[in-house]
Amino acid sequence: MASPMRSLLTDPARYLQSFRLFLANSTEHQSMQEFMERQLPAVIASIGNGKSTINVLSVGGGAGEIDLLILSKVQARYPGVTINNDVIEPSADQILKYKEYVAETSNLENVKFTWHEETAYEYESRMNAEKKSKKWDFIHMIQMLYYVKDIPATIRYFHSLLEAQAKLLIILVSGSSGWETLWRKYGSSFPLGDLCTYVSSVDIKRMLDSAGLKYHLHELPSHMDITSCFIEGNKDGELLLDFLTETCEFSKTAPPELKRQVIEELRKPECSEKRDGKVLFNNSLSAIVIEP
């Protein structure tokens, strides 16, 4: 009898291993970088007008690679202006990597970093308890809304902290991605528990529309090489399957029929395309820029 399936998030070491492999096999960071290079300057064009200090809040900042890219764009737009960059990140390991990354990066003299080792919800609760509601010029939530219990409430809370010229940037999987197809079909069979929710840009648009918020949506094409997922017993393939299904040891613990269906689904054009002998999963993202 195969052991019961459990969420990948119950094994932080394996989660991190599969996440790093995902980044290595996908164009996730490249597609975000392209957005930061091409679109972000227009997004932040007026966030610091007339200000001597710009306050930036990173919600779920991870190890900081994308954060520092964002900060470089803010610095380019507002040279010499002091930037307070606060980071909310529950993983001590990620914060450590973020600090190391900052230490290795030059030109950050005018940026003051503050790290909060807590979840978005813990931050909100603490601020409410301390009766604080600091306002921000730019808030970004990149690939983190999956780990939030009440997504509409979280968006509402952080949106309420925006200054008059500010912007809230959300990046997450696109409603046109392979994730959407895979998860809408099989998500109920995966053992997420209450650690993680599947959500895509389709859901966020619906929430923003019902809240009457103004926003702009940008599609960021991206793919992930999942060829190894179809090689029985391949270690990398097994880790990527774990990441795709958010299931620890999916290959070993999933019922054979579910495993067969998921592998079959991943080959379909709704999820992936075949190119140069590789199977490339549609990992497209959406960037949603919300107005105050």
Side-chain angles (χ1 to χ4, degrees), residues 16-245:
L16 214 55
Q17 206 185 349
S18 68
F19 175 62
R20 289 192 181 130
L21 187 66
F22 156 71
L23 286 181
N25 275 40
S26 74
T27 59
E28 168 112 352
H29 272 181
Q30 292 91 309
S31 71
M32 283 192 210
Q33 282 163 345
E34 199 163 299
F35 172 79
M36 302 306 169
E37 297 291 343
R38 292 184 179 179
Q39 318 279 353
L40 191 68
V43 171
I44 59 169
S46 58
I47 61 168
N49 285 355
K51 301 199 165 199
S52 55
T53 304
I54 296 172
N55 295 316
V56 177
L57 181 62
S58 162
V59 188
E65 298 98 332
I66 300 296
D67 283 20
L68 293 200
L69 188 57
I70 289 171
L71 290 171
S72 72
K73 298 301 165 200
V74 178
Q75 286 177 309
R77 174 68 185 85
Y78 301 100
V81 173
T82 301
I83 301 168
N84 290 324
N85 185 69
D86 279 38
V87 182
I88 300 169
E89 170 53 58
S91 162
D93 182 61
Q94 292 287 78
I95 288 177
L96 191 65
K97 289 196 166 47
Y98 197 136
K99 289 178 175 175
E100 287 167 1
Y101 195 42
V102 166
E104 293 160 7
T105 306
S106 54
N107 305 325
L108 291 173
E109 296 77 22
N110 62 325
V111 184
K112 182 172 170 287
F113 290 90
T114 310
W115 287 272
H116 307 276
E117 190 186 314
E118 57 193 349
T119 64
Y121 179 71
E122 286 164 351
Y123 175 86
E124 180 183 344
S125 304
R126 183 168 61 82
M127 288 294 143
N128 288 338
E130 294 170 10
K131 298 200 168 22
K132 286 181 183 168
S133 63
K134 183 172 176 176
K135 295 282 186 177
W136 301 90
D137 301 302
F138 188 55
I139 301 176
H140 54 87
M141 313 166 92
I142 296 174
Q143 289 288 49
M144 59 69 66
L145 282 174
Y146 322 109
Y147 309 108
V148 164
K149 294 242 187 333
D150 187 338
I151 296 169
T154 299
I155 293 175
R156 257 198 318 275
Y157 171 71
F158 286 103
H159 181 264
S160 75
L161 305 182
L162 292 177
E163 289 279 17
Q165 303 279 342
K167 297 281 188 284
L168 168 60
L169 169 67
I170 292 173
I171 297 181
L172 80 170
V173 297
S174 166
S176 64
S177 68
W179 294 100
E180 179 75 357
T181 307
L182 181 69
W183 278 81
R184 288 286 173 240
K185 212 163 182 180
Y186 295 104
S188 59
S189 305
F190 301 150
L192 283 184
D194 59 354
L195 297 169
C196 181
T197 323
Y198 176 71
V199 59
S200 78
S201 61
V202 175
D203 306 295
I204 302 303
K205 277 166 65 180
R206 202 180 301 121
M207 291 170 196
L208 298 176
D209 289 337
S210 72
L213 295 177
K214 279 173 60 183
Y215 61 91
H216 303 279
L217 188 114
H218 307 264
E219 288 292 313
L220 321 183
S222 168
H223 62 259
M224 162 172 48
D225 183 350
I226 59 167
T227 315
S228 59
C229 292
F230 306 102
I231 304 165
E232 191 64 44
N234 181 288
K235 286 278 175 282
D236 281 1
E238 289 181 357
L239 275 169
L240 287 176
L241 276 172
D242 284 12
F243 192 77
L244 283 160
T245 60

